[in-house]
Amino acid sequence: MLVSDYILNFLIKKNVKKVFLITGGAITFVVDAFSRNKKISYIDCGHEQASAMMADSYSRMGPNFGATMVTSGPGATNLLTGIACSWFDSIPTIHFSGQVNTNELSGAVKSTRNVRQVGFQETDIVTMAKPITKFSYRIKSEKEIPYILEKAHYLAISGRPGPVLIDIPMNFQRLKLDIKNLKKFKKPKSKNLNLKLKNQIDKTFSLLKKSKRPVIIFGGGIEISKSKDKLNKFFEKFEIPYVTTWSGLDCCYHNQKNYIGTIGVYGSRAANFTVQNSDFVLNLGSRLDTRITGGKPETFAREANIISVDIDKNELNKQRGLKNKLKINFSVKDFLINFNEKPRFKSNEEWINICNNWKNKYPMVLPEWRKQKKYVNPYYFIEILSEELDSNSTIIADDGAHLTWAVQAFKVKKGQRFFSAFGNSPMGYALPAAIGASIANKNKKIICIDGDGSIQINLQELHTVSQNKLPIKIFILNNNGYGIIKQFQELYLSKRYEASGKGVSNPNFKKIAAAFDINYTEIKNHNKMRNQIKTLIKTNRPEIINIIINPNQKIIPKLQFGKPIEDLSPLLNRDDFNKNMLIKIIKKDKKLIEIN
Amino acid sequence: MLVSDYILNFLIKKNVKKVFLITGGAITFVVDAFSRNKKISYIDCGHEQASAMMADSYSRMGPNFGATMVTSGPGATNLLTGIACSWFDSIPTIHFSGQVNTNELSGAVKSTRNVRQVGFQETDIVTMAKPITKFSYRIKSEKEIPYILEKAHYLAISGRPGPVLIDIPMNFQRLKLDIKNLKKFKKPKSKNLNLKLKNQIDKTFSLLKKSKRPVIIFGGGIEISKSKDKLNKFFEKFEIPYVTTWSGLDCCYHNQKNYIGTIGVYGSRAANFTVQNSDFVLNLGSRLDTRITGGKPETFAREANIISVDIDKNELNKQRGLKNKLKINFSVKDFLINFNEKPRFKSNEEWINICNNWKNKYPMVLPEWRKQKKYVNPYYFIEILSEELDSNSTIIADDGAHLTWAVQAFKVKKGQRFFSAFGNSPMGYALPAAIGASIANKNKKIICIDGDGSIQINLQELHTVSQNKLPIKIFILNNNGYGIIKQFQELYLSKRYEASGKGVSNPNFKKIAAAFDINYTEIKNHNKMRNQIKTLIKTNRPEIINIIINPNQKIIPKLQFGKPIEDLSPLLNRDDFNKNMLIKIIKKDKKLIEIN
């Protein structure tokens, strides 16, 4: 069997049905194996960056596993931004880069060790990918390929998942492989730590029972550990106010009993008040980064016993001000399976009512926005879109202002997926990710929420949409500039909109759509918006819908530097604010806030 | 003075007039300084990858210096493929990436050292860029900024030039800088090695005088060391057959006395015969990589005394089969200045005639190709284009088959520039590079020679062309697939055109042009081609010209694996071939060739 055939057979075993690739000199032999294999095929992409993002999204959608193949040099370096998406969001993906023949590598003979390049398009992708992969490795002999592939796959999916990269010099790609007598990868035996987990769960439950104002945070770890199916039982048994991070957004649904909202610097006031007044936080799989805690983690849930469950002990040990009462270094899945065996628990009615009242009192879409005459209000647009989408929909948002509007206003329905490349947050993720999602599951309705700046980054993939007849609905939230930067400049740089509003411009999206034979619609105001959306999301072809937003549209609410997350801007009237703060802010914390 | 203002003032001093950028959260403060400075401005790009390529080309065009600014995370990783272009081709460029505040860096406190990410969009770009930069550094205090900037610039332009990257955490960007009492960068004193150089030049000249069949190779080092103006005197004094590498293509002009052609695996038969029959090779600034020497460097100029001049001693010491008789580790410029002082020398008339006869006997464009009826022959197209372009033109070609056709058939005129990102050779370089070149020098006619696959990589930059009204002429050599891969597959993989001819497709370029308001012309055959080209290259607006090539068009000639470079395919009749080989191939070499 040829090495190239072995690689494809391996990928088939690991649930890869489509590989996202661009061919090139150094990967041609591997790609050739597709001609001999009917069980796996490929999508020819317009840019390797997009390939990596498609693979990322393909893995997120499941049940399959995302893979790319690219040539050496620029083919490989083009992957990096996409690989970083998988790294920061803990998505298992595998990337194969071709490499020059081993005798053409710098360092193959001692005297070439410091030469910039020996073989054509030789680049040290292994070193470059190391900071953003769990495993980045150059094949040194064809004999180690079976071992390395299994090891790479194991590392990608185990513990805290993430991407892996395997660099294969051309000379190995075309060899025959006698798989007898080769070293096999053995998965490390997992230690039986059930007792420890059981003890920690007992402790958690006992703290919960003592608590008066508990809250549960659902983070990205729910999806990453594939434990959404464990939540039904959890919700049924434990009646406690629930909040989510952005990565955990689709763990709850908007109208769900006891679901309050998303937390963080762009969170909902209701959810932030809930966490900031709580005396018990069970954090299920959020790394509680500064977009959640605010710039001063010590002000986050400052009177609560915080219990964090995270597969990555480094996240538990960060010590950046936030103090975990209990660090549970297990997968969220293991935690949920065991915690679900605890007796039913309902937190006190009064607390639940207070939280739900906040949710009603501080809706994310304000009534006056719905009446806006000029331009489309992005919050109202997202509200309508979410009302019209059914539970079979997957929503993928890009970055910056439009991502924030989408997360803030979207009312998730049960069964829907909603994601973005939250940690890396590159411009240009949503379109290729929508392609990857659509290929992962043809039966899902895929919604891409993009920006006028962001969509340009992977514009070439509109051809992939068109060519593969993917019925993706691409909404461009068009505020004619980089809105989130403009808002920052308005606050801190006296409205000097350098390179965000000034000096930037957009192509004509109507003509762009026509260029790729994609149907185009422009929505400039609220008049017929609901009907237009209703119709367009039902078609069986791709659609580009250009939503014209006020260039000065703000993100509302938003935390200002130095404030604790209960105090989002625009600031509430102090009386109202104080009434909402059930706990007294401790002195030390007050000082901290005053200093900043 | 603010740090951000200091950075812009520094760039102005270093001849940066335009910065290629996309703004973003972590670079906003630096970008803000443009609002206070009239001496420098920026181009807002569609993708950071393109920014880096524009900066690269802007430096190549001179006299100015190329710079980019990008935000942290994806903004920075998007640069890498472009930075690699500068690295492998020794182009000095400077890149500023924003970074999260220092207190938000992983490792800012010990316990976060192994966390994937602390600050939003934090990425370790410094490590990732190290393999492809001369200096990659994160600012640790605002006080070191003046020192680091000077050091970085010095490293970029000195010795063998290359790109540098400076990563600036946000907290430093907004600080005031008291430049008094700060550490200043002092350029290392250069050793006076004139005597050594003089001795080596004496030795070179004495070997030259003894030689019977000498040849001069002009490589990229001529342009890199800015010594083209030294060549006039050289040509006038030393009448020897000249050949060039691809990077040295525009050191000579096609009709120049004693200029034979380009050498290498896609070289001209004439130039390859010249080198392979020579007994003396003076290599001025070529690293003689395997695309020049063939896969077996020991067969390259095997009977010649090879004298190599290279600023990078690592390139001289490679020891990959090729043996330098003399390694002159000086810049080509220093060499030329001193060598030009030697007495006139003319190599023997017979040798010169033989070489020139080869040039006539083996033209790169065969007469029958001009008569092709169906499709445009790319060689004939390039010939016509080169005939019609005046000396004020700069030609930038992309990669793969169309780059090869262009280099093979283009007849350079005196004063013209011709380049590509030869070492990295990414798809998608030519378009942003043409933009960078056009911005570097508005008075030059800029010709972009692109491919149907390649142009898609940075398609979004057509908007930059359109928006900035750059009168670039974009020729798409459209063979509807990846031609260079197809040729490989035809030879070695029984015409299984996986992901090169099969499974790939192009967007409609006419519609693409319309989308960006760029005039479009399609040329399908030779009928009116010359007139069309003549007209289109004279307009003062951008043009896209889609040149329809036979999908099975080959690169001719081309070296097959294992052959020495005198024996290009299609193979010559053995009688002709043997007549052209004046030297007897030594036994060892023959064996070597037979084995492979």
Side-chain angles (χ1 to χ4, degrees), chain A residues 77-78 81 111 318 511 517, chain B residues 77-78 81 111 318 511 517:
Chain A
T77 54
N78 278 351
T81 301
S111 56
K318 279 188 299 197
K511 291 181 176 182
D517 293 318
Chain B
T77 53
N78 278 351
T81 301
S111 56
K318 280 188 298 198
K511 291 180 177 181
D517 291 319

Side-chain angles (χ1 to χ4, degrees), chain B residues 458-486:
Chain B
N458 277 312
L459 198 70
Q460 74 288 341
E461 302 307 326
L462 289 175
H463 178 64
T464 313
V465 172
S466 186
Q467 197 55 24
N468 293 280
K469 299 189 176 64
L470 304 173
I472 298 167
K473 314 307 174 198
I474 303 160
F475 291 92
I476 303 173
L477 272 63
N478 187 345
N479 59 346
N480 206 21
Y482 297 115
I484 203 163
I485 308 295
K486 282 172 72 178

Side-chain angles (χ1 to χ4, degrees), chain B residues 421-435:
Chain B
F422 294 110
N424 195 38
S425 218
M427 295 205 293
Y429 173 78
L431 177 60
I435 293 170

